[in-house]
Amino acid sequence: MSRTLNRPLSGQHTAHSRLWAGKLDYLIFFTAIGAIAPFFNIYLEIQGLSGTQIGLIGSLPPIMALLANPFWGAVADRWQIHQKVLAICTLGAGLISFPFLWVSGFWPILILVVVMVFFRAPAPALVDSAVMDIVGRTGASYGRQRLFGSIGFVAASYGLGQVVTAGNLDVIFWIHGLLLATGCTLLAFFLPIQRLSQRMHLFAGLKLMHKQAGYSSFLAMNVLMGAGAASFISFIGLRILALGGTEAQVGMAYALNSITEIPVLFAGAAVLARFRSSHLIVVGLLGFAAVYCFMALATSPIWILAGSPLLGLLYGGFWLAVVTYASKSAPVGMSATGQALVSAAQAGLGWALGSIAGGMLWDGLGGSAVFFAAGGAMVAAAAVYAIGHRRVHGTASLPA
């Protein structure tokens, strides 16, 4: 299928020179996420919600993401309006952040989170799709673009961790809302997204991806990985506080988790050239499991802080491999849909299952059980992917 442009980008040089938009978009978006993610469940606990209710708050929005990611990705691919869709998503998510400043109670908060996630969840996949397209045309490194997201997340999570207390959590919603509604929305129109004169029909493309050897096990792996990650991320802050830690240590844990991604992402091209994607995925998953189990045994926040940098190192390589796999698997004209399917599996279905299970375990058995279960999910994810990969090893249809 030939690729021609409806709106030329003045050649390869223009696309390469405008990678700055992708870098800034990652920086601002993940700064917004770093402002809210480490402290949101602390906010929910202050609102009087139980562990089960916190788990439900974390589970239903991912189900919405399961629908929202393929929906927005398909809309962007079908009508080739990636910039407009991205702008709508970030503007909507930003504006919905502000009502958190005055609402209270389980149901109002749940409704707000569901609506916010409907708009926010597709944004990273849409940016990944655009950046991977530019990387493919220019030979640039995806990791060197994505590392700006890690920088933003580290700066926000660590910086706010030093100043945020139970009495001034409103600031996380102001920062999250303003950055998404202004910075990310404006930058959406500067991403040089290639437009195709010919497009594959949505269902034909989905059928083609499903038929690829190993693709089903790849998606199943992402579901299990999302479940394990949700159990960990949703309760790591509460775990630190339960062990006698502070909000500053919560922010530090998230910062240490992310800062070690940066060198891996910077060396992304070299990492992918040196190691097969399948090896990065399996090693990453088993490494996550080992660190989660180590944290389950922790008796002090210091031990959790000590293990956090390892997660960033593992995640950097894992995510490079996953995004590359998804990009190679997607038919021409369906890159946004391909990235959205991964996001729906991992941050949608997997996250919903992990949040529900984590909330129930937190109430019934405590933090150690949550982390052991998260480790078990990662081991299961590695096994599913390894079995699927082995069955098709050596075939041309499986991205390496």
Side-chain angles (χ1 to χ4, degrees):
M1 184 177 296
S2 63
R3 291 193 175 203
T4 57
L5 302 181
N6 290 338
R7 187 179 64 182
L9 294 172
S10 302
Q12 184 186 57
H13 175 73
T14 300
H16 197 286
S17 65
R18 292 179 67 182
L19 276 170
W20 64 267
K23 292 182 175 72
L24 280 178
D25 206 305
Y26 282 130
L27 177 68
I28 295 175
F29 181 85
F30 283 100
T31 299
I33 300 301
I36 198 171
F39 313 104
F40 187 68
N41 281 359
I42 298 173
Y43 157 81
L44 295 178
E45 189 176 54
I46 292 171
Q47 292 291 318
L49 275 62
S50 67
T52 299
Q53 288 176 319
I54 292 173
L56 287 173
I57 289 281
S59 67
L60 293 182
I63 294 175
M64 176 59 69
L66 183 64
L67 303 174
N69 285 332
F71 168 75
W72 288 114
V75 169
D77 283 336
R78 172 63 181 85
W79 287 284
Q80 295 294 290
I81 53 171
H82 296 74
Q83 293 171 324
K84 292 179 181 178
V85 167
L86 181 57
I88 290 170
C89 287
T90 53
L91 178 62
L95 294 178
I96 290 296
S97 303
F98 300 120
F100 283 100
L101 296 169
W102 60 80
V103 303
S104 61
F106 172 70
W107 289 107
I109 292 174
L110 177 62
I111 292 170
L112 281 178
V113 171
V114 168
V115 176
M116 182 177 70
V117 170
F118 176 76
F119 287 102
R120 191 185 70 185
L126 290 168
V127 177
D128 280 340
S129 171
V131 171
M132 287 299 292
D133 179 68
I134 301 169
V135 165
R137 287 186 281 148
T138 63
S141 167
Y142 165 79
R144 294 193 181 188
Q145 320 312 313
R146 176 60 177 78
L147 67 85
F148 282 84
S150 297
I151 293 171
F153 189 94
V154 169
S157 58
Y158 177 76
L160 285 175
Q162 307 310 303
V163 298
V164 162
T165 65
N168 64 354
L169 282 175
D170 283 359
V171 68
I172 69 176
F173 299 108
W174 281 108
I175 294 174
H176 181 265
L178 289 172
L179 288 177
L180 291 182
T182 57
C184 289
T185 300
L186 291 173
L187 283 169
F189 295 101
F190 289 91
L191 281 173
I193 298 171
Q194 187 177 29
R195 304 184 180 212
L196 308 178
S197 61
Q198 301 181 46
R199 297 181 297 270
M200 178 173 288
H201 189 275
L202 173 63
F203 292 105
L206 292 175
K207 186 176 180 180
L208 182 61
M209 282 190 283
H210 177 70
K211 285 184 175 180
Q212 291 183 54
Y215 192 77
S216 295
S217 64
F218 172 70
L219 287 182
M221 174 274 293
N222 276 285
V223 171
L224 290 167
M225 187 275 177
S231 296
F232 169 76
I233 293 173
S234 296
F235 293 95
I236 182 63
L238 297 180
R239 171 74 168 156
I240 289 173
L241 296 181
L243 291 175
T246 65
E247 286 84 358
Q249 288 177 316
V250 173
M252 176 69 77
Y254 278 86
L256 290 172
N257 190 338
S258 298
I259 197 168
T260 47
E261 295 175 8
I262 295 174
V264 180
L265 294 172
F266 182 82
V271 170
L272 291 171
R274 176 66 178 82
F275 302 102
R276 292 176 62 87
S277 294
S278 56
H279 294 166
L280 292 171
I281 289 172
V282 172
V283 170
L285 292 168
L286 294 178
F288 295 149
V291 175
Y292 289 173
C293 291
F294 170 78
M295 291 182 173
L297 298 171
T299 56
S300 165
I302 298 300
W303 294 111
I304 292 179
L305 294 177
S308 294
L310 296 175
L311 294 174
L313 288 172
L314 294 164
Y315 186 78
F318 172 84
W319 189 244
L320 284 170
V322 167
V323 171
T324 301
Y325 189 117
S327 180
K328 290 181 178 179
S329 300
V332 173
M334 292 190 63
S335 59
T337 302
Q339 299 294 343
L341 284 174
V342 172
S343 183
Q346 189 180 117
L349 179 57
W351 202 273
L353 295 173
S355 295
I356 293 173
M360 295 174 65
L361 287 170
W362 179 268
D363 280 345
L365 299 173
S368 292
V370 174
F371 283 68
F372 277 128
M378 293 299 183
V379 172
V384 166
Y385 178 76
I387 291 170
H389 178 74
R390 186 173 299 166
R391 286 176 178 173
V392 295
H393 182 67
T395 64
S397 57
L398 180 69

